[in-house]
Amino acid sequence: MPAAAPQKPQPKPTQSTARRPVLLDLPYAPLERSPLPPGRDRGWYITHNRRLKAMRLAIALLDSGVYVPNQARDETIRSTALKIGVHPPSDTTCHMVRELMRYCR
């Protein structure tokens, strides 16, 4: 039997990062929500929901390439809120988003 010719190893396919989708390019699915604990005062619920919103916005900004709090101006945060489908945040929530980004550095 004739000997088979040695085969060259095939190069591994690579994916360019130039066209890799950013998370904001993908549709956000609504999260499954659980009920909040009863019996708290109204201020607790407001603060809790504000923190959740700020956390979602900070994650979306980080996914879109905004890593420094100085880059996250109020207009940037509000446009990101529209992209991910949440109501435009208040000035207080925008400040909280920047504080979260500072803490994550």
Side-chain angles (χ1 to χ4, degrees):
M1 271 202 179
Q7 293 181 352
K8 285 195 227 177
Q10 296 293 325
K12 292 182 181 178
T14 58
Q15 182 180 6
S16 169
T17 57
R19 289 303 305 149
R20 191 172 293 164
V22 178
L23 189 56
L24 288 180
D25 293 343
L26 304 174
Y28 273 80
L31 299 174
E32 188 176 320
R33 297 181 180 198
S34 59
L36 293 175
R40 308 271 177 132
D41 60 293
R42 182 173 168 77
W44 183 90
Y45 295 107
I46 292 170
T47 304
H48 175 76
N49 288 331
R50 186 183 308 264
R51 286 177 182 157
L52 289 177
K53 185 179 205 175
M55 187 171 49
R56 284 188 198 107
L57 286 168
I59 290 168
L61 284 166
L62 290 169
D63 287 344
S64 69
V66 178
Y67 300 111
V68 182
N70 297 342
Q71 294 174 332
R73 297 187 333 258
D74 289 353
E75 301 84 28
T76 309
I77 295 171
R78 289 188 176 112
S79 67
T80 303
L82 291 175
K83 287 179 187 175
I84 65 172
V86 297
H87 289 285
S90 65
D91 292 340
T92 306
T93 306
C94 290
H95 178 75
M96 193 178 287
V97 169
R98 285 188 288 275
E99 288 299 316
L100 280 170
M101 292 177 76
R102 262 186 211 100
Y103 181 75
C104 293
R105 286 175 68 195

